[in-house]
Amino acid sequence: MLLQDSDQQWLEGVVGKIRTKLAWVSEKSKRKIPYTTVYGTHDNRITDNPTGTETDGIYWWTNGFWGGMMWLMYHETGDDKYKEIANFSEEQLDECFRGYYGLHHDVGFMWLPTSVANYKVTGNPASRKRALHAANLLAGRFNLAGGFIRAWNDLADGDTRGWAIVDCMFNIPLLYWASEETGDPRFKQIAMKHADTAISAFVRPDGSVNHIVEFDPENGGVVRTYGGQGYEEASSWTRGQTWALYGFMMSYIHTGKIEYLQTAQRIAHYFIANIPESGIIPIDFRQPKEPAYEDSTAEAIAACGLIEIAKAVGTHEKDMYLRAAVKLLRTLDEVRSDWSEESDCILINGSPAYHNDNRHTAIIYGDYYFMEAVFKLKGNDLYLW
């Protein structure tokens, strides 16, 4: 993609900083599956739990991102150490298949950046088997009456049989890959049906999105929506916007269905219109101005999606999306990154949810999507979705 000279110089510099940081961070964490950086300890908090609880530990939905970062670095550098670390990370997730009960719709997040990536790069047959197993588990969550993929398993305090969430737009590429790999159309059919349902049930006319939609699990149809990780019901959780923005582009890339591209553009226009002058993205576009809670992870994911839209649209449209992506990434690099050796993370000020007390922290998927977006701009990215 054509960047201005100043942006090209910046891009070359940030690629160098990523290579330098990951060279030593990967050594520290080569036998871990990190989730966050604990400030002051110079260490990463490990999310895989030897007791194998069914709500977190080795089942936690973010456990594929560290392996994905290693595959990005292997693709960028050719250094075998990154491939070896990625292999270790992938193998640890086999415990999830053995335990089973802790798995839900986020198997795409877990096995696309690990097993599918491994198979794409190396042709490893064991990785292919893992990824197809995960794809069958995801396909098994499809609700025929409602046309959606069920999100979570039963909760102690509620019935979630009819719940779907916007995040699943990132899981269904596992189904597209399974159809492409096996020639069996049923995986793609399920993925497209879920995406079609998401257009009508999740995406609002103004381009904002719902986070959680409850359907009638027996007869289909929307029952109600929930605010989820945003500020409140009918608000605009920014990472949810980005799951949809980039997620519909993923469906467009795999299917060529123009409605998916148009939906991604509608969401992108809403997102771009709400980017503050500072370039710093809040947790929710409709949250109170104070306290000024923010989420750097939403910024990084949005940049990935905007770059993909710029690749797909006509010449006269590209610049709008590309300029927005560059603004977001330069903001992250310049004011929301820690390039020092005092911390293992790249991005700071990630926030899992508006009402989560653990706001403004480092989160592994923030680093992953920041790296992915930067390598996309460079033009030699490894597409894992």
Side-chain angles (χ1 to χ4, degrees):
M1 256 177 244
L2 188 61
L3 296 175
Q4 297 179 1
D5 289 345
S6 60
D7 289 330
Q8 188 63 47
Q9 292 173 5
W10 160 79
L11 178 61
E12 292 170 2
V14 79
V15 168
K17 288 190 285 187
I18 289 172
R19 291 174 65 126
T20 298
K21 182 127 194 176
L22 268 294
W24 62 264
V25 169
S26 62
E27 289 294 327
K28 288 184 63 177
S29 300
K30 62 185 178 182
R31 290 296 180 266
K32 302 176 183 178
I33 303 181
Y35 172 66
T36 189
T37 296
V38 184
Y39 291 99
T41 66
H42 293 203
D43 203 358
N44 281 348
R45 179 175 298 152
I46 302 172
T47 57
D48 63 323
N49 186 338
T51 61
T53 65
E54 294 174 10
T55 57
D56 51 25
I58 195 63
Y59 295 99
W60 192 239
W61 72 276
T62 67
N63 285 355
F65 288 110
W66 177 246
M69 289 167 64
M70 295 301 99
W71 284 117
L72 292 180
M73 290 305 297
Y74 176 70
H75 182 74
E76 170 68 17
T77 68
D79 190 332
D80 282 343
K81 79 169 183 177
Y82 295 115
K83 179 170 65 174
E84 293 165 3
I85 297 169
N87 284 335
F88 174 83
S89 185
E90 177 185 352
E91 290 163 2
Q92 301 313 295
L93 297 183
D94 286 350
E95 175 61 29
C96 300
F97 291 140
R98 289 189 287 268
Y100 175 69
Y101 287 113
L103 293 175
H104 42 72
H105 74 141
D106 282 329
V107 293
F109 276 120
M110 297 170 75
W111 278 280
L112 278 162
T114 54
S115 294
V116 172
N118 193 345
Y119 181 63
K120 284 182 176 180
V121 174
T122 72
N124 183 354
S127 295
R128 180 182 187 273
K129 183 186 294 184
R130 291 182 179 109
L132 289 175
H133 185 31
N136 273 286
L137 292 174
L138 182 59
R141 302 185 70 84
F142 183 69
N143 182 294
L144 185 62
F148 67 92
I149 293 172
R150 178 181 176 179
W152 300 301
N153 301 329
D154 293 332
L155 300 177
D157 59 349
D159 179 359
T160 61
R161 292 175 301 157
W163 283 27
I165 66 175
V166 72
D167 318 39
C168 196
M169 293 303 299
F170 273 58
N171 289 315
I172 61 175
L174 180 63
L175 301 178
Y176 293 128
W177 169 83
S179 278
E180 293 158 5
E181 180 60 28
T182 66
D184 187 337
R186 64 193 172 98
F187 297 105
K188 179 180 179 181
Q189 290 163 358
I190 290 171
M192 292 185 72
K193 184 62 178 177
H194 179 88
D196 293 344
T197 300
I199 290 175
S200 60
F202 284 89
V203 185
R204 304 172 186 141
D206 66 352
S208 64
V209 303
N210 295 307
H211 179 203
I212 302 172
V213 175
E214 180 182 353
F215 298 89
D216 182 333
E218 300 290 347
N219 303 299
V222 174
V223 175
R224 61 163 295 186
T225 63
Y226 298 86
Q229 289 162 254
Y231 175 63
E232 62 183 1
E233 185 178 355
S235 65
S236 182
W237 177 48
T238 54
R239 193 163 73 251
Q241 304 298 138
T242 67
W243 292 144
L245 189 163
Y246 190 12
F248 278 105
M249 278 309 299
M250 293 173 181
S251 283
Y252 173 71
I253 289 167
H254 284 283
T255 69
K257 184 174 179 178
I258 194 66
E259 189 176 6
Y260 297 152
L261 172 60
Q262 292 170 341
T263 302
Q265 289 180 279
R266 176 152 52 104
I267 299 164
H269 296 166
Y270 171 85
F271 194 96
I272 292 170
N274 282 279
I275 296 175
E277 185 64 31
S278 66
I280 295 172
I281 300 300
I283 298 177
D284 194 305
F285 282 134
R286 296 171 185 169
Q287 71 187 40
K289 291 185 178 180
E290 296 295 337
Y293 296 141
E294 60 187 84
D295 182 16
S296 61
T297 72
E299 207 153 339
I301 300 163
C304 288
L306 291 168
I307 294 167
E308 289 297 337
I309 295 176
K311 292 179 184 179
V313 298
T315 302
H316 300 298
E317 294 182 84
K318 291 181 184 294
D319 191 53
M320 174 179 65
Y321 302 107
L322 188 58
R323 279 190 292 106
V326 170
K327 177 175 181 174
L328 294 175
L329 292 173
R330 293 197 66 151
T331 300
L332 289 175
D333 171 40
E334 293 163 6
V335 300
R336 289 299 180 265
S337 292
D338 186 340
W339 296 111
S340 74
E341 295 189 11
E342 302 303 312
S343 175
D344 294 350
C345 71
I346 296 176
L347 296 191
I348 62 174
N349 285 23
S351 297
Y354 185 89
H355 297 289
N356 188 318
D357 291 336
N358 189 30
R359 290 180 290 263
H360 295 180
T361 188
I363 310 175
I364 194 70
Y365 48 84
D367 286 4
Y368 171 84
Y369 287 110
F370 179 73
M371 290 171 57
E372 182 183 296
V374 168
F375 292 143
K376 282 183 191 297
L377 278 183
K378 186 180 176 184
N380 70 333
D381 61 304
L382 174 65
Y383 185 76
L384 302 184
W385 307 98

